[in-house]
Each structure stands twice: as structure tokens, then as C-alpha cells.
Amino acid sequence: MEQNRECNSMDNCEVPSKKVIEFKAPVYEQRYYFVKNLVNRHGLRKIADLGFGDATLLWMLKYHRCVQYLVGVDIAARPFEWGGGRLSPGVGGYIIPRELDLTITLYRGSAVQKDSRLCGFDLITCIELTEHLDSEDLAKFPEVVFGYFSPGMVVISTPNSEFNPLFPASTFRDPDHRFEWNRTQFQTWALDVAKLYNYSVEFTGVGDPPAGAERVGYCTQIGVFQKNIAKATESSISEPEEHAPEEHVYEVVYTTSYPSLQQSKYFRLTLSSESVKAIGLMKSRFLRGLRKREGDRVVPLGSCTPQFGLTEAQRAEIEQSPKPYSVGEKFYVPLERLIIYPKVDHLVAGSMEKLRTILAEGLRLNGDQSAVQVELVDYQTQHLFDEHLISPVLES
Amino acid sequence: MSHRTVLFQGLSPSRSSPSGQQCQAEPGPEPEAEPMVGRPPNPRHLEPPRHLEPPRHYTEPEEAQLVATLQATSVKERSRFGGIFRDHVVDTRQYLDHVRESTAGTQGRPVKLFTNHFRVTSRPQQVTYKYNIDYMPDIEDGKVRTELLLQHKALIGKCHIFDGSSLLLPHKLLSPKMELVSLLKKQVVKVTIEFTSELMPTSPDCLRYYNILFRRILKMMELEQVGRNYYNKREATEFSDHNLVIWPGYVTSILEYETSITLCADVNHKLVRMQTAYDLISALCDGFPAKQDLQEQVAKQLVGSIVSTVFNNKTYRVDDINWEETPRTTFKTSDGAEITFVEYYKTRYDQVVTELNQPLLISKGKWKKSQRDTPQEPVLLVPQLCNLTGLTDDLRKNYRVMRDLALHMRLDPEKRQHELQKLMNAIQTNKEVQQELQLWDLKFDASFLSFSGRILKEVRIFQGRRVFDSHPQFADWSKETRSGPLLNVKSLDHWLILYPTGNYRAASFFLQSLRRVTPTMGISMREAKILEVSDTVQSYTTALENHVSSKTQMVICVLSSEKKDLYDSIKQYLCVSCPIPSQCVIARTLDKPQTLMTIVTKLAQQMNCKMGGALWKVDTGLQNTMFIGIDCFHDIVHRRKSIAGFVSSINQELTQWFSQCLFQESGQELVNGLKACLEAALKLWCKHNLFLPQAIIVYRDGVGDGQLQALLDHEVPQIESSLKSVYPKDSGVKLTFIVVKKRINTRFFVESEGRLRNPLPGTVIDVEVTKRQWYDFFIVSQSVKDGTVTPTHYNVIHDTVRFTPDRIQCLTYRLCHMYYNLPGVTRVPAPCHYAHKLAYLVGQSIHQEPHHSLASRLFYL
């Protein structure tokens, strides 16, 4: 059986006992940043990392706004180690939800096993994976990854053996490596695979060679495979489901889904939170500034728009909208005003109806649903007394 | 943590969370001096220092429980349980011959109780094997340590528990010592696994591992770990109006008690604020256009608070604000590149910093007692990417917020049981969890542990010629105490009232009412000198300087609002420079005609105590005994010196107390100060009674987890040696030393009419959930109207008086009836509570030693 590498961040190619070569950033980090940049540049949504090891790459990718599905597969994955770890949304993820959903799932399984849940991805990465495969598995690998999973892109990175003489040790970079290819070997293999499965491939790498040794090439060689579009249009979306019956051989060891603005609960929470913040600022200006009575309403004489965090133009626009007012002990902010606040506007994309419906779920609106109603003054607690004894902060 | 100061800081870094505030679920609504929000009218506490201070500077027991603050996770898992476990293996009972047979009493009426403990019904019966794990080079981070070890999981096996430095296995490894190589990024780390010992199934060390296993189980149940505890984000409750969210969660521990091992589980809440530090700064920007005001306000609101970063959920304590720099400032990354904060967060976390003009927050790193001497690189944080945690002063003062939170977080016994039962059911039905538990053959009972407790007799209160019992259910005698003369009255002959312009009405209401209520109490009063001042510190102090004379007995300051600096200055002046008992009252509190009389009655009583009078007494049944209470205040915001209050009785009736303070530099031990305090206390007792007390009984509160051994090794011997130096040889003076703990997770319930309820005040528990190697007991002394009552734990660690369990329990309960600021039963014995009040006033407001001439009066009430 092949062995996926245990931890993709932990290959020891940069651990010479004598420090012969020092890379500016560790090469493993450069590899991850290579993938990160690729994901960012193409706005990739659905990504799988085969042999995810300690999940560092997945963790780095989870921050991308465009990413919505992250999957890791590793032969050595264990259920226990992931719960509550750095892949989980944490408190921050709930307070400031992502724009788009994100689901992270980790499987225990091998890169030469077919599992239909890995089909239809935008990108599959195999970072320092292939060199751990024995010849039998290496032979199966292209059929599984390119033929069966058939993602839009594949990134394969592997050591460049031409670089090895620069290291003090003369053997492989890791005792578990079955082989280390030179550039020709890798490129020949890659081109064959690409041709067979209708991908095009470009070669690059990370870990620049030191000055004077440029001829050896990068420390890590990388092949970026792209599915040929002509073929893809007819096959990519429908094909996997058609020809691949559901086949679940991988075992789920961890899964989590992130709160996002696509989920009504978190959208509501975020919208009301932004609204409450804006209303709070208006209210404190209202209370500080001069105001006059107009019928049963008290209206501000001055501006109720915060000076901070808004552009001139935004402020001017807000100033022209209906002003907040108070009636009795309640303070009202017209939705027409609220919706001009950039963050609110952004969330509801200009839809008054949306603002109204959603705010009504968490906050209180006035009778004709044209304004949000909040308490005008915050009542202070009186540690001594009970409810009937509380008194307003503002004493006239 | 204000009152759990570690006195031997050098010895134990166990409680190192900077916020320190255990977000205990439950605002245990004890009717202590400081009533909770939303509690029924109960003017228990007239002078309201709490009105005047930003409460985030301290944690009152009740407040602390409402205040859910992010707790910093300790770096290494191995230190997490250290404290409790260190305490639990200290055998203090071995030296106490007189309770060798039993530490259980018999007095009182038996009652069937339930507790939030689940018995462990099965656990490994075989020997397990403990291995020590070493890293070369050393690795700090617990998670990384685990990761490095688990690179060898094929070798270790599926069934293992790792605490960060040692590994427990059910089987022996092939070789007693193995050197393995793990890889961390580009580094080789040598991991040495070395056999250390075989653990018998009964070894207390096993329990530590079970706790780690249990935490793993909570993780598996998709509970989010924040700090020490686990929260269920799926059952979050939103408070949209306040931009707050509350997550329910649990706090658990598996420990060995009298006859069995139990899992103690309690409900815990996490308060999440939907607000970033930038939101707060921008709100302040709007309110304070002047740069200097703004900076002052921002510092006031943010410094000392704990923020958590949006992207990776790390918590930091804000130590300062850097107004010179913005997110556009560059810094050097680990690889030496210069990069702006904006670029850094964009490339690393895809976080867009939109506000380019915000200042930066400075954190000096985590506050760890053990590392206090090592300078740490300050961390710069972008406010927009920092979530605020915990409650602000404003929120805390906001009646609606506090009411809503209290309603939600305060669980009555029924609801609490329901929540805990839910957890147990989930554990029993989760397949993965059961698999993991089966590996270790661990099983838990499905329902609350039940046993018998006892309800002590009501305590008799003596007030002059009048005698009455405390109310059996409400533990209260406020009606009785105000309807007759006080025990010992001080007349008001020379006194001042200061009121700010515009508050004449309040001052005159106060005076009129005082005239009406004082005759019943037996207080005679002459006309006060009434002074109008303007609403500034300067004005108050000038008036005081001009009008206070050596004859002045009492100064009353009416304040227009809750201004901490004004309150602090008045208290500083009248406690240090010009020592006169004083009473501050906020004008607003005198505004309500319907409660004015109650309030003024309470004020009159309080003033009487401050001047040296007494309200009532109880019979302790002990003669010639001096009682001492010790509690600590620890200023976590300003990291000032810790303060220990040391309060000792002066007379036989326990109506007069001698109050001293100990200032304690960080890392310094209390010991030397203790000696001086004790000697002064004995001297005064002797002066009053003409002989030295035959016994000293110390109630020691404010002890952190893990400090028990230190108390035994240092404090008790120090007190003993001080006694030796004061007393003649063979004087036979006795000493009893009792550790008091208020913050515990154990709760008790009674069942009546098919529902769980709070036990009655005076319920004593000394079986099942006490410890075999301790002389300990619980008392539920206070009564609560809502929520679940929190019992107080007492541990007698030294006792040459040789108290029987009945006597010490009864005595302790009686002492809970002696706190003059509350005509009711308090949660801790009066001397402890006095010590708490004193340390708190000094730590919060005065910051210096109060004048010695005040020391024999309860000037800090």
C-alpha cells in the first residue's frame, strides 16, 4: 500500500545539519503560498488537498473569501485531532461571519482510492505526495486523480533531485520517499498524464537555487495541470455524476460548516448588529445635540450623522434622508436613512424590503414599519434597588 | 480575579488567565451585600461604591458570574488541571486526630439532597502505564507537542491520553525508553518517550488523565472550546438590541470524593459581543472630537480589556493604544521582510482593513504570573480585527442589558438539571463518544448523585433587649432590625452634609427622613452642618478641608451621579489624609418617596456601624476566642499591588472588628505582613479584654486553586510562630485555620412536589461530595430568590481547638449572620466579608493604607 506523507509541512528537505542553504521563507511555506496565490488568482471555490498532513494548507486556504468547499484526504487522518482545532470557525467566525458558506471536511483515505465525493472540484493539490507512492500506486494515481476525480486544475509538487547535491546529505530528502525525480523525469511523467487525460500542464517551482547554481532549478518542482476547456464544457459538470455511481470509501473524520451571510440566521445577526451600531451612533448624537418638538415628535436640529467612518459624499446623502426622531421614550430611525449607511446598504444590496423584513425579525419596528424603534435612554442599573426605582441616565 | 488572589504567586502559576474571570454560568444570586440586577427591592446596601466605579476593574462574586469574559487558554494543556489536582492530593486530615473517625456531623434536620455530580460507575481496573515525553528542542505550544507525538501514533496505539508532557497508556511499550524523530516544519524535533511509572487504578493521577479524556469527548460533541470551557454555538441566544450573543456551555471535572469518583458538571455561559474594538473607537471619536479627550476615553474603555482576534481567535489583553501608528505602518515579519499591517492581513488571512486611520492596540502579551519577569515583545493589533469580549462599564450599568442577561443566564434548579441531563444523554447516546469511553472502560451514572444533608437550626439574633430568629426560608431579619433600638448606638453630634448645587432637595429629604427614622433606632442626632459644593473633586475637598474639625464624627456626601474619580478622591481624603467615617450617597437614590424611608433607615444603620456602633449580635457559644477573616483584592486592570484585607474581632461579642490591610508586591508572599497584622490584632484584643485570646480562628478566603499546600507550608506555620512569639511558653493557645471557597461548581438541590429547588439556608453537607483526606463541609447559608444558590466550601486545614464537625459547622453558620451591611445571612462568615469589603475599597479607590485611627471601625462598609 502506498503511504501518503504524514505531514506535508514537515518534510525535512530544509534540515541540513550544516546550514548550507537558507531560503528566505521556508520552502514548505513557499509551496503553500504558491497554492494560495493560485486559488486567489482564479477565485477557486472547491478545493481538495490530498495528503493534507497537519492541515496547514487547508487552514491557510480557509481564509479565502472565494473558497466554499475544502476537503482534505489523508491516509493517516484521525477523528480526534481536529475537533475544535484551527479549522473550526471559532468565536470570530460567528461574530463576523463570512460572506459565503464554507464547509471543511476531512477524510481518511488514500489518493489511489476512488471516492465520488472528490469529483467535480476546481482544484486538487498533491503537495509533496507523489514521491511517497510506490510504483504500483504511482501507476494508479493518474487514473484516480485525473481520470476519476477529474478536477478543473491539479497542482503536483515534488522534490527536484537535481537540487539535492546542494544539500549535505546525499540520499533522499525523506526516508519515506520512494523516488526523487529530476526535472526531465517529472516533466515526462506529467506530460504523459496530461496528454492521456486531456489536461495541459505548465511547470514551475519554488525554492530558488543559490546564486551560481541556477542550472539546478527550483528546490521543489511544480506542475500545474489545467483541464482542457473544450472538453470540459461537455464533461466537467455532468460527467462525474453520470459515469460515477456514488462511491464512498473514505471515512469522514471531521467536518464543519462556517456561519456565513448566506445563512439567514447569521445574515440577520450581522444586519441587526450593523444597524444597532449605526443607530447607537445616531442616538448619542441626537441626545447630545439640540432638538425641538414637532407635534408629538422630538426632532434633532443638528446633524445626527457620525463624522467618522463615512466619506463626505456618504454623509451628504445621509443628511438628505429622513431624520431620526423620538416620541416619548422611544427613538426612531427611518429605514430610508438606515439603508444609506454603507455597511447596511452592502448587506441588503439596496433592498428596502429586505432590510425591513429582516430587521423585523430581531428588532422592533414602528407601526407603519418605516423606522426602527429603540429605547431613547439606557436605564442604569441600580445595584440597590429594583425595577420601580431605576432612573434615567439623563436627568433634565 | 479580585478575590482569589494567589498569595504565593511565586509558587504557582496555575491560575494564569489574564481575565481571570471564570465565566461561571450562573449569576449565583446570593443576597450578599451587593444585590444582583433585577432582584426584588432589597435595599441591602446603602452606600453604593459600586455605583461609582467601572466594574470591569474587579470581579465581585456575583458580577463575575454574569461577566463572561474570554479566558486565555493556558499554553500547555498540562498546567490546566494542575491547581485543583494539587489541592486534591493534599492530605490535611492526617494531622487532625479528633476527626480521624468521621468528619460528618449529626445536628440538624436531615434532608434528602441532590447534587450536580454523576457517579463514575466503571473505570479501568488494570494498571496503566505512564510515560514522560520530552522534546529536544523544547516546544512550548501544547497543540504542537501533541502533534509531534502523534506522528508516532502507530507506535503508541489508538488508546492513549496525553496531557502535554506525559502519556498514559493501557499497555506497555516495547522499550522503556525510545528516542523518536518528529518533524516540525523544517525542524527535526527529538521526542523521547520514557517510562516513568505504573499507575494503580486507584491512583489520583489517573483522574487527571480522565479529565483530559473528558475534554476530548466534549470536543467530539462539537462543542467549541473557548478558554477552559466548552460551548455549544448551535444553541446561541441573540440579544439583537444589545449586540450580544450568549453561548451555553459546560464546565466539568472528574474528581474523587468521600466514597466515589464523580463527574461534576455545571452550566456555563459565554458572552459574545458583536462589536470590534474599532466600532468602539469610532463611537468614541464621534462623541469626543477633541483629540486628547478621545485618547483618554479610548484608553479608559479599552485598556485592561481582553480582545480576541477575528481571524485566529487568539486573546490579548490591551495594555495601551498606539496613536502614532496606523495599519499602514510596516513591521518586520519573521523572514525579515517589511510589510504593512494591511498587506499582512490581506495576504495571510484575506482580511481587508478598510479603516486606514485607526490607531493600533498594544498588548504586552499574556499575563502569566510565572512569566512576569521575562520581558515580552509587545504585540500590535488592528482594532478592526479585534472583537471585544466581556461586558463594558456601560453595558454593565445598562439596566436592560443586565436584566436580559440575568434572566437568561440565571438558571433555576429545574432548568439547570434539565441542561445537565441533556449533556449526559448526549454523552450516553453519541456513538463515537461511547467508543472512546469504552476504550478506557469509563462509565457514568445517568442521573444526579443523591444523599442526605442536614438543615441547621435558625440562628437567634440579639438586638438589645429584643431577640428574634432569622427567617427560615429567606434568611433575613430586615423588618425586625429596623423596628427597635440598635445594639449599640453612636449619636450624631458633629457631622457634615455636602451636596452639589442643584441637589438641595435630595439633601433635605435625607435629613428629614433621618430625623424620622433615628428615634426608633435609638440614635440621637444634632443639627448637621450643611454645605453646598459644586460638582467637582476640588470643591468637595476644599469644603472638607475648611469645615472638618477634630470633633467631626461623620461626613455625608451627596453625589450628583456615579463618578468614580469623585468618589475615590473623597474616600482617599477621608480615609487617609483626614480620617473621618464618611457616607456617600447618590442624589438619585434619595429621589423616590416610596423607598426613601427604607433607604434612609439603612443609611442610618450603616453610618452607625461606620462610627463604631453595632446593630445586633449572635451567640457563638465560644469565649475568649479571636476570629480573623482574610480576603484579597487583585487589580488585574492596572496590575497594581494586590491587597489583602485582614479583619480580626476585638471584643467577645464580635460586634467590633479591627481592620488592617496588607499590600503585596507581585510575586511577594503574604507571610511577613501576616505576622505584623496578627501581632497588632492580638495586642488590641488584649487591650480590650485585658488578656490574650485562648483560641484564634482564621477564615481564609481568596485562595486560588493549587494553593492549599502553600497555605499549609507557609501561612499556618507563620501564624503559629507569631503566636509563639507573643504568647508565653506553654500558653496552650489554640489555632483553627479554615479555607473558604465561594467559587465552586458544586450545587445542591432538594426535591419537593416533583421539582428540584434550592436547599434552605443552613443546609450543611459533609458527606459524599466532601473529600476523604480533608476535614471539609459545605454550607448553603444564603437564600436566593432566582437561580441556583451557590454553596460555600469550608476546609479546616489546621485545628488545635479540636472542633467537632457539629461545632465548627454551627459556628461558621452563625458567623454568616454577623455582617452589618445586610440584615440577612451572607455567603461567607462576616470577618471574611469584611475583609473582602476592605480590600476592595482600598484596591479600587484609596490605593494606600487607610489611617490607623479608623482601623477599629467598619469605615469601609
Side-chain angles (χ1 to χ4, degrees), chain B residues 814-828:
Chain B
R814 289 184 176 195
L815 286 170
C816 295
H817 292 67
M818 305 280 298
Y819 181 68
Y820 283 156
N821 233 0
L822 178 74
V825 190
T826 49
R827 219 174 137 181
V828 293

PDB file of all heavy atoms in Angstrom, chain B residues 814-828:
ATOM      1  N   ARG B 814     -23.224  30.545  62.117  1.00  0.00           N
ATOM      2  CA  ARG B 814     -23.576  31.708  62.930  1.00  0.00           C
ATOM      3  C   ARG B 814     -22.804  32.952  62.509  1.00  0.00           C
ATOM      4  O   ARG B 814     -23.333  34.058  62.505  1.00  0.00           O
ATOM      5  CB  ARG B 814     -23.331  31.408  64.408  1.00  0.00           C
ATOM      6  CG  ARG B 814     -24.363  30.434  64.911  1.00  0.00           C
ATOM      7  CD  ARG B 814     -24.262  30.162  66.365  1.00  0.00           C
ATOM      8  NE  ARG B 814     -25.374  29.292  66.726  1.00  0.00           N
ATOM      9  CZ  ARG B 814     -25.762  29.070  67.959  1.00  0.00           C
ATOM     10  NH1 ARG B 814     -25.139  29.662  68.952  1.00  0.00           N
ATOM     11  NH2 ARG B 814     -26.776  28.275  68.192  1.00  0.00           N
ATOM     12  N   LEU B 815     -21.549  32.743  62.157  1.00  0.00           N
ATOM     13  CA  LEU B 815     -20.741  33.902  61.750  1.00  0.00           C
ATOM     14  C   LEU B 815     -21.256  34.524  60.452  1.00  0.00           C
ATOM     15  O   LEU B 815     -20.939  35.671  60.149  1.00  0.00           O
ATOM     16  CB  LEU B 815     -19.274  33.488  61.579  1.00  0.00           C
ATOM     17  CG  LEU B 815     -18.509  33.242  62.872  1.00  0.00           C
ATOM     18  CD1 LEU B 815     -17.161  32.617  62.563  1.00  0.00           C
ATOM     19  CD2 LEU B 815     -18.324  34.531  63.658  1.00  0.00           C
ATOM     20  N   CYS B 816     -22.017  33.768  59.708  1.00  0.00           N
ATOM     21  CA  CYS B 816     -22.601  34.318  58.482  1.00  0.00           C
ATOM     22  C   CYS B 816     -23.770  35.254  58.797  1.00  0.00           C
ATOM     23  O   CYS B 816     -24.388  35.805  57.896  1.00  0.00           O
ATOM     24  CB  CYS B 816     -23.078  33.198  57.555  1.00  0.00           C
ATOM     25  SG  CYS B 816     -21.745  32.184  56.938  1.00  0.00           S
ATOM     26  N   HIS B 817     -24.098  35.378  60.055  1.00  0.00           N
ATOM     27  CA  HIS B 817     -25.205  36.256  60.467  1.00  0.00           C
ATOM     28  C   HIS B 817     -24.692  37.571  61.033  1.00  0.00           C
ATOM     29  O   HIS B 817     -25.431  38.306  61.654  1.00  0.00           O
ATOM     30  CB  HIS B 817     -26.057  35.568  61.530  1.00  0.00           C
ATOM     31  CG  HIS B 817     -26.819  34.382  61.032  1.00  0.00           C
ATOM     32  ND1 HIS B 817     -26.205  33.220  60.616  1.00  0.00           N
ATOM     33  CD2 HIS B 817     -28.152  34.172  60.878  1.00  0.00           C
ATOM     34  CE1 HIS B 817     -27.140  32.348  60.238  1.00  0.00           C
ATOM     35  NE2 HIS B 817     -28.320  32.908  60.390  1.00  0.00           N
ATOM     36  N   MET B 818     -23.423  37.859  60.856  1.00  0.00           N
ATOM     37  CA  MET B 818     -22.819  38.971  61.587  1.00  0.00           C
ATOM     38  C   MET B 818     -22.363  40.117  60.695  1.00  0.00           C
ATOM     39  O   MET B 818     -21.662  41.003  61.149  1.00  0.00           O
ATOM     40  CB  MET B 818     -21.575  38.465  62.341  1.00  0.00           C
ATOM     41  CG  MET B 818     -21.824  37.304  63.255  1.00  0.00           C
ATOM     42  SD  MET B 818     -22.535  37.797  64.811  1.00  0.00           S
ATOM     43  CE  MET B 818     -21.283  38.828  65.468  1.00  0.00           C
ATOM     44  N   TYR B 819     -22.730  40.088  59.454  1.00  0.00           N
ATOM     45  CA  TYR B 819     -22.276  41.148  58.568  1.00  0.00           C
ATOM     46  C   TYR B 819     -23.290  42.285  58.606  1.00  0.00           C
ATOM     47  O   TYR B 819     -24.451  42.105  58.229  1.00  0.00           O
ATOM     48  CB  TYR B 819     -22.122  40.578  57.147  1.00  0.00           C
ATOM     49  CG  TYR B 819     -21.644  41.579  56.150  1.00  0.00           C
ATOM     50  CD1 TYR B 819     -20.353  42.085  56.221  1.00  0.00           C
ATOM     51  CD2 TYR B 819     -22.489  42.026  55.131  1.00  0.00           C
ATOM     52  CE1 TYR B 819     -19.918  43.015  55.297  1.00  0.00           C
ATOM     53  CE2 TYR B 819     -22.056  42.959  54.216  1.00  0.00           C
ATOM     54  CZ  TYR B 819     -20.765  43.450  54.305  1.00  0.00           C
ATOM     55  OH  TYR B 819     -20.333  44.377  53.391  1.00  0.00           O
ATOM     56  N   TYR B 820     -22.839  43.456  59.052  1.00  0.00           N
ATOM     57  CA  TYR B 820     -23.773  44.523  59.380  1.00  0.00           C
ATOM     58  C   TYR B 820     -24.361  45.250  58.181  1.00  0.00           C
ATOM     59  O   TYR B 820     -25.255  46.059  58.331  1.00  0.00           O
ATOM     60  CB  TYR B 820     -23.112  45.541  60.304  1.00  0.00           C
ATOM     61  CG  TYR B 820     -23.010  45.063  61.734  1.00  0.00           C
ATOM     62  CD1 TYR B 820     -22.057  45.576  62.608  1.00  0.00           C
ATOM     63  CD2 TYR B 820     -23.900  44.098  62.216  1.00  0.00           C
ATOM     64  CE1 TYR B 820     -21.970  45.145  63.919  1.00  0.00           C
ATOM     65  CE2 TYR B 820     -23.816  43.651  63.526  1.00  0.00           C
ATOM     66  CZ  TYR B 820     -22.849  44.174  64.368  1.00  0.00           C
ATOM     67  OH  TYR B 820     -22.782  43.753  65.658  1.00  0.00           O
ATOM     68  N   ASN B 821     -23.834  44.998  57.032  1.00  0.00           N
ATOM     69  CA  ASN B 821     -24.425  45.694  55.891  1.00  0.00           C
ATOM     70  C   ASN B 821     -25.604  44.940  55.316  1.00  0.00           C
ATOM     71  O   ASN B 821     -26.165  45.342  54.306  1.00  0.00           O
ATOM     72  CB  ASN B 821     -23.379  45.903  54.795  1.00  0.00           C
ATOM     73  CG  ASN B 821     -23.324  47.354  54.387  1.00  0.00           C
ATOM     74  OD1 ASN B 821     -24.055  48.177  54.924  1.00  0.00           O
ATOM     75  ND2 ASN B 821     -22.483  47.666  53.435  1.00  0.00           N
ATOM     76  N   LEU B 822     -25.943  43.844  55.938  1.00  0.00           N
ATOM     77  CA  LEU B 822     -27.054  43.055  55.431  1.00  0.00           C
ATOM     78  C   LEU B 822     -27.797  42.387  56.589  1.00  0.00           C
ATOM     79  O   LEU B 822     -27.224  41.562  57.278  1.00  0.00           O
ATOM     80  CB  LEU B 822     -26.521  41.965  54.486  1.00  0.00           C
ATOM     81  CG  LEU B 822     -27.590  41.034  53.933  1.00  0.00           C
ATOM     82  CD1 LEU B 822     -28.414  41.724  52.873  1.00  0.00           C
ATOM     83  CD2 LEU B 822     -26.966  39.764  53.387  1.00  0.00           C
ATOM     84  N   PRO B 823     -29.032  42.771  56.794  1.00  0.00           N
ATOM     85  CA  PRO B 823     -29.795  42.085  57.844  1.00  0.00           C
ATOM     86  C   PRO B 823     -30.256  40.736  57.311  1.00  0.00           C
ATOM     87  O   PRO B 823     -31.450  40.485  57.131  1.00  0.00           O
ATOM     88  CB  PRO B 823     -30.962  43.028  58.118  1.00  0.00           C
ATOM     89  CG  PRO B 823     -31.098  43.867  56.897  1.00  0.00           C
ATOM     90  CD  PRO B 823     -29.810  43.827  56.143  1.00  0.00           C
ATOM     91  N   GLY B 824     -29.316  39.898  57.017  1.00  0.00           N
ATOM     92  CA  GLY B 824     -29.603  38.590  56.463  1.00  0.00           C
ATOM     93  C   GLY B 824     -28.344  37.756  56.513  1.00  0.00           C
ATOM     94  O   GLY B 824     -27.300  38.234  56.990  1.00  0.00           O
ATOM     95  N   VAL B 825     -28.424  36.537  56.014  1.00  0.00           N
ATOM     96  CA  VAL B 825     -27.280  35.634  56.096  1.00  0.00           C
ATOM     97  C   VAL B 825     -26.412  35.809  54.851  1.00  0.00           C
ATOM     98  O   VAL B 825     -26.908  35.833  53.741  1.00  0.00           O
ATOM     99  CB  VAL B 825     -27.752  34.171  56.227  1.00  0.00           C
ATOM    100  CG1 VAL B 825     -26.575  33.270  56.560  1.00  0.00           C
ATOM    101  CG2 VAL B 825     -28.819  34.050  57.284  1.00  0.00           C
ATOM    102  N   THR B 826     -25.123  35.952  55.063  1.00  0.00           N
ATOM    103  CA  THR B 826     -24.207  36.133  53.939  1.00  0.00           C
ATOM    104  C   THR B 826     -23.624  34.791  53.513  1.00  0.00           C
ATOM    105  O   THR B 826     -23.752  33.788  54.210  1.00  0.00           O
ATOM    106  CB  THR B 826     -23.048  37.078  54.299  1.00  0.00           C
ATOM    107  OG1 THR B 826     -22.499  36.649  55.529  1.00  0.00           O
ATOM    108  CG2 THR B 826     -23.527  38.508  54.418  1.00  0.00           C
ATOM    109  N   ARG B 827     -22.949  34.829  52.395  1.00  0.00           N
ATOM    110  CA  ARG B 827     -22.403  33.620  51.813  1.00  0.00           C
ATOM    111  C   ARG B 827     -21.163  33.131  52.538  1.00  0.00           C
ATOM    112  O   ARG B 827     -20.826  31.956  52.498  1.00  0.00           O
ATOM    113  CB  ARG B 827     -21.999  33.979  50.390  1.00  0.00           C
ATOM    114  CG  ARG B 827     -22.275  32.934  49.412  1.00  0.00           C
ATOM    115  CD  ARG B 827     -21.959  33.512  48.067  1.00  0.00           C
ATOM    116  NE  ARG B 827     -21.248  32.504  47.306  1.00  0.00           N
ATOM    117  CZ  ARG B 827     -20.801  32.694  46.087  1.00  0.00           C
ATOM    118  NH1 ARG B 827     -20.956  33.880  45.515  1.00  0.00           N
ATOM    119  NH2 ARG B 827     -20.188  31.740  45.452  1.00  0.00           N
ATOM    120  N   VAL B 828     -20.440  34.057  53.137  1.00  0.00           N
ATOM    121  CA  VAL B 828     -19.224  33.701  53.870  1.00  0.00           C
ATOM    122  C   VAL B 828     -19.323  34.287  55.279  1.00  0.00           C
ATOM    123  O   VAL B 828     -20.099  35.203  55.507  1.00  0.00           O
ATOM    124  CB  VAL B 828     -17.961  34.250  53.174  1.00  0.00           C
ATOM    125  CG1 VAL B 828     -17.747  33.564  51.833  1.00  0.00           C
ATOM    126  CG2 VAL B 828     -18.035  35.752  52.990  1.00  0.00           C
TER     127      VAL B 828
END
